[in-house]
Amino acid sequence: MENNIKKIIIFGASKAGQKMFNILRNFNYKVEFFVDNDENKWDTMVCGKPIKSPKTLKNIDLGRYYIIIGSMFINDISNQLETVGLLYKINFDNMYNYTKMLIEDNINYFISRIKKEKVIYLNNKSVFMALPCGISLGGVETLSSTISNALNEKYDNTYLLNLKPREGDNPEVIGFKFKEKILDFYIDDNNYLNSLIEGCVKLQKYLPITIIPNHSEEVFLIANILKKIYPDFVKVISILHSISDDTYEKNINYSKIISKFICVSDEISNKFIKLLPQRNEDIITKISPVVIEGKRNSYSNEEEPLKIGFGGRLVKEAKRCDLLINLIDDLESREISYEIHIAGNGDYYNIINEFIIEKKLNNKVFLYGQIPNNKMNYFWRQMDVYINTSDFEGTSIAMLEALGNGCVPIVTNVSGVKKFISNGINGFVVEVGDFVGMANNIEFLYFNREKLYKFGMKCIDRVKEACSIEDYINHIYSII
């Protein structure tokens, strides 16, 4: 495919920017260099191209260059570019808009390579839910498994699209009961266009179809292509799991093909309505369902350590697992007996493990790695307290599972929290980053054990009331 576009600069040299580079290369576009706000990357190379300071942009010839934001921090970088006089859509664009434009401008290329099939079974609509991170223990994956299990048990029509297949993948990790309804689909960034075509060919066999992309850019693109080929037989429903900029950007970008937007918290839906007011009637809040198995029997007594649980991806971005280390350090300075049990994998697993060894905390801090979802109910029932150190969330599935099993929450004030936690009534909410406030509340519960049962029972009742799987499935089925 030929092009006469200006020379490209990518703003962002991490994974998203590198992915944008590969996409542009697939379309024979030339990238001149990267810029990045991280000064440690300046004067280094990525994808065979130099990384420069954003200050470079003040002196570029705008008649020759065009900037594409290759980062999830779209709003921040857009504001940064506008402060130096650059104009959105004239001098720069973001990766989601630009990739969609490239695909649509070359739609005949895709249509010519996808053999159109006759759709016969009009009343047997299939549902596909994407797993952007593959079969791994995360909120999106757990929710998708829960919804798919319930839909299959009632209608036998739902599939999981595994976008990051790995050797030894085990659906039990996310609690999925229908192994035969998982389709592996690998995106090859070096052969991006063919990957999209293969995805279209794979999914068109299941028409008519409802696609739930779960924030996956590739699945949005595939849905967009299929929608143009089969306008009457492809429906897209989007679940907004996060309050992040790129979540809103993707959903606005593909809003024309999305029939309904399901937001997992009031905070997400309220903001999204302001961003897309013309679709107000199609934007709803639906709290994620959870399935709680087993019954809470007891809490630790005053002679035992207070048991604190954390479950989720062990990363710094968003989840702020670096604050777990700060929290443990703070607890060590207090005269309380505690244990912290951490379930999950990620970049911070080894960092936390090294900290445990260095501080000789093997008898206080326990790392379990990835625990299968069907064993997480048991995990939470062993804990007195649930902690969440995140900078932002949608409505945390781990939080809902922990509260549903009677854990007393001590969490940061992120999206979805206020719907379930009343400060000092059934748990505690601190400001983002306030690990000292978390430690204060842990100390309070340590010396006031009677609050554990009182708060915990209120949490169980709240989750039962708000997170019914039957209610959720009935609603989903009514709109697919």
Side-chain angles (χ1 to χ4, degrees):
M1 283 169 276
E2 298 298 325
N3 64 79
N4 297 309
I5 194 69
K6 299 174 183 179
K7 294 179 179 179
I8 299 292
I9 300 167
I10 298 178
F11 198 129
S14 296
K15 289 182 180 179
Q18 293 170 39
K19 178 180 176 180
M20 190 70 239
F21 176 88
N22 283 319
I23 292 172
L24 290 167
R25 186 174 60 180
N26 275 241
F27 284 95
N28 298 321
Y29 281 46
K30 183 178 180 181
V31 175
E32 285 293 294
F33 58 88
F34 290 79
V35 297
D36 200 283
N37 284 320
D38 184 354
E39 62 182 32
N40 294 318
K41 296 179 181 178
W42 299 347
D43 299 322
T44 64
M45 303 284 286
V46 65
C47 300
K49 301 293 179 179
I51 304 173
K52 301 183 180 183
S53 164
K55 293 179 181 179
T56 306
L57 302 179
K58 294 180 180 180
N59 303 314
I60 65 169
D61 180 354
L62 296 179
R64 296 179 57 218
Y65 293 98
Y66 195 76
I67 302 162
I68 301 175
I69 299 172
S71 167
M72 66 179 291
F73 301 107
I74 293 170
N75 285 352
D76 291 341
I77 295 176
S78 294
N79 292 336
Q80 184 178 350
L81 292 173
E82 287 171 351
T83 59
V84 296
L86 302 180
L87 301 175
Y88 178 57
K89 291 290 188 181
I90 296 176
N91 305 123
F92 72 91
D93 203 346
N94 68 63
M95 57 188 176
Y96 304 127
N97 288 338
Y98 206 81
T99 302
K100 180 171 178 280
M101 179 272 294
L102 289 174
I103 298 297
E104 291 182 343
D105 284 354
N106 294 278
I107 192 65
N108 289 332
Y109 170 85
F110 294 92
I111 292 175
S112 67
R113 286 160 176 76
I114 300 169
K115 183 180 178 182
K116 188 173 181 179
E117 296 187 357
K118 184 177 180 180
V119 183
I120 300 175
Y121 301 104
L122 301 183
N123 296 319
N124 186 28
K125 183 171 287 187
S126 301
V127 179
F128 273 83
M129 300 189 71
L131 301 179
C133 295
I135 296 176
S136 60
L137 195 60
V140 173
E141 293 73 27
T142 300
L143 174 61
S144 299
S145 175
T146 299
I147 295 171
S148 298
N149 281 337
L151 282 170
N152 280 324
E153 287 166 357
K154 198 166 186 178
Y155 304 107
D156 191 31
N157 68 339
T158 305
Y159 300 80
L160 295 180
L161 192 59
N162 180 12
L163 300 183
K164 291 189 177 178
R166 306 172 183 89
E167 186 176 351
D169 270 344
N170 181 4
E172 290 185 5
V173 167
I174 56 173
F176 191 54
K177 302 175 183 177
F178 300 87
K179 187 174 183 179
E180 72 282 2
K181 289 187 179 293
I182 293 181
L183 265 69
D184 290 342
F185 175 49
Y186 176 72
I187 301 292
D188 183 357
D189 287 345
N190 293 316
N191 204 358
Y192 198 76
L193 305 187
N194 280 342
S195 290
L196 296 180
I197 292 168
E198 288 173 8
C200 290
V201 171
K202 185 168 289 198
L203 291 190
Q204 75 175 350
K205 297 176 182 177
Y206 296 86
L207 294 167
I209 187 171
T210 295
I211 300 173
I212 302 176
N214 283 335
H215 302 178
S216 167
E217 175 72 2
E218 284 72 34
V219 178
F220 271 124
L221 288 168
I222 289 167
N224 198 29
I225 296 168
L226 287 175
K227 186 76 172 171
K228 293 184 183 303
I229 302 173
Y230 304 98
D232 297 325
F233 303 115
V234 175
K235 179 178 282 188
V236 182
I237 296 171
S238 184
I239 301 178
L240 283 71
H241 300 272
S242 171
I243 204 163
S244 64
D245 291 344
D246 71 328
T247 295
Y248 294 125
E249 191 65 37
K250 287 177 185 176
N251 280 275
I252 292 170
N253 198 21
Y254 291 96
S255 60
K256 289 183 179 179
I257 67 166
I258 299 170
S259 60
K260 297 289 181 182
F261 304 87
I262 300 175
C263 303
V264 302
S265 74
D266 291 328
E267 292 92 336
I268 294 175
S269 58
N270 290 341
K271 182 174 179 179
F272 194 53
I273 287 171
K274 292 178 181 178
L275 295 172
L276 200 65
Q278 66 271 29
R279 296 294 302 277
N280 180 30
E281 293 184 358
D282 296 321
I283 301 170
I284 63 168
T285 300
K286 200 71 180 170
I287 301 298
S288 302
V290 291
V291 177
I292 305 299
E293 298 173 347
K295 184 178 179 181
R296 182 85 198 208
N297 294 318
S298 63
Y299 294 87
S300 63
N301 59 47
E302 294 178 357
E303 306 300 321
E304 299 173 315
L306 189 70
K307 294 183 179 179
I308 304 161
F310 177 95
R313 289 181 293 115
L314 301 184
V315 295
K316 182 176 182 179
E317 184 178 301
K319 298 298 182 183
R320 292 303 307 273
C321 286
D322 56 314
L323 294 180
L324 284 177
I325 293 175
N326 294 334
L327 175 62
I328 294 166
D329 256 339
D330 190 300
L331 292 176
E332 281 296 287
S333 68
R334 302 175 186 241
E335 295 182 359
I336 62 175
S337 177
Y338 71 92
E339 294 177 358
I340 292 186
H341 299 258
I342 301 171
N345 273 332
D347 297 340
Y348 253 71
Y349 182 96
N350 289 334
I351 295 173
I352 295 172
N353 191 46
E354 289 171 4
F355 172 78
I356 293 170
I357 295 170
E358 178 187 349
K359 299 292 184 177
K360 298 180 180 179
L361 296 173
N362 303 68
N363 62 337
K364 289 185 175 181
V365 184
F366 304 89
L367 282 169
Y368 296 89
Q370 190 165 261
I371 297 177
N373 184 255
N374 59 8
K375 296 182 179 180
M376 285 303 294
N377 280 306
Y378 177 80
F379 173 83
W380 291 123
R381 287 199 302 274
Q382 311 312 305
M383 301 299 124
D384 302 312
V385 174
Y386 161 76
I387 57 172
N388 187 343
T389 53
S390 294
D391 277 348
F392 59 87
E393 291 277 359
T395 293
S396 169
I397 297 294
M399 178 187 75
L400 298 179
E401 291 177 338
L403 270 61
N405 282 289
C407 293
V408 178
I410 301 175
V411 301
T412 48
N413 188 16
V414 293
S415 170
V417 160
K418 291 181 179 178
K419 191 90 172 179
F420 289 89
I421 303 169
S422 298
N423 199 42
I425 304 299
N426 69 336
F428 299 96
V429 182
V430 303
E431 291 309 308
V432 167
D434 185 11
F435 65 89
V436 175
M438 298 187 82
N440 289 339
N441 289 316
I442 289 171
E443 185 174 34
F444 172 80
L445 289 174
Y446 176 79
F447 288 111
N448 296 272
R449 301 294 180 101
E450 73 282 358
K451 299 290 187 182
L452 294 174
Y453 181 84
K454 181 180 178 181
F455 286 9
M457 293 305 106
K458 289 180 179 179
C459 290
I460 290 173
D461 291 342
R462 183 70 188 103
V463 170
K464 284 182 178 179
E465 175 189 7
C467 301
S468 164
I469 182 63
E470 292 182 8
D471 176 63
Y472 195 96
I473 292 307
N474 288 339
H475 178 79
I476 284 284
Y477 195 73
S478 71
I479 62 176
I480 60 176

